[in-house]
């Protein structure tokens, strides 16, 4: 079950600050507080989705399209052309925040 008090939900609501890179009606992108590469961004959809399964099965087509477009826009804003995208899914994969997110990492 989605926890409305997870840290990314709080960032979307503006209850805790984030160093924003890109934002539109569908998604928000910001820098990771604990980067694991020179550039480490996170992109999150504006909606209540636990992981990529939840997002793919339950988000509207409009939101899914908007989210992946926001991932693209974030990459453009970061000014990188070579990077990794990661979506940890489940505790054993390393997921610690249970609001669907995509990592963008570049060196
Ligand atoms: P996960 O491990 O769930 O795939 O990724 C969650 C990421 O969120 C971690 O890399 C962690 O550093 C980042 N993170 C956790 N809390 C905050 C926060 O309050 N602000 C920001 N900007 N990143 C956070």
């Amino acid at each position: 079950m989605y926890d409305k008090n997870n840290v990314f939900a709080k960032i979307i609501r503006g209850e805790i600050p984030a160093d924003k890179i890109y934002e539109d009606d569908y998604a928000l992108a910001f820098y990771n507080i604990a980067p694991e590469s020179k550039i480490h961004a996170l992109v999150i959809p504006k909606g209540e989705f636990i992981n990529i399964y939840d997002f793919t099965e339950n988000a509207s087509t409009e939101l899914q399209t908007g989210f992946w477009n926001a991932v693209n826009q974030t990459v453009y804003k970061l000014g990188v052309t070579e990077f990794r995208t990661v979506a940890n899914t489940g505790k054993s994969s390393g997921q610690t925040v249970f609001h669907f997110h995509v990592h963008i990492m570049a060196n």
Side-chain angles (χ1 to χ4, degrees), residues 24-46:
D24 61 23
D25 289 345
Y26 305 106
L28 173 62
F30 49 92
Y31 287 101
N32 195 321
I33 204 167
E36 291 174 29
S37 52
K38 197 167 146 199
I39 295 172
H40 191 162
L42 298 164
V43 191
I44 61 177
K46 290 185 175 175

Side-chain angles (χ1 to χ4, degrees), residues 7-8 11 16-19 30-36 40 42 86-90 93-99 101-103:
V7 69
F8 292 171
I11 286 174
I16 59 172
D19 188 2
F30 49 92
Y31 287 101
N32 195 321
I33 204 167
E36 291 174 29
H40 191 162
L42 298 164
V86 172
N88 293 324
T89 308
S93 79
Q95 186 175 6
T96 57
V97 179
F98 291 86
H99 178 114
H101 54 280
V102 168
H103 297 250

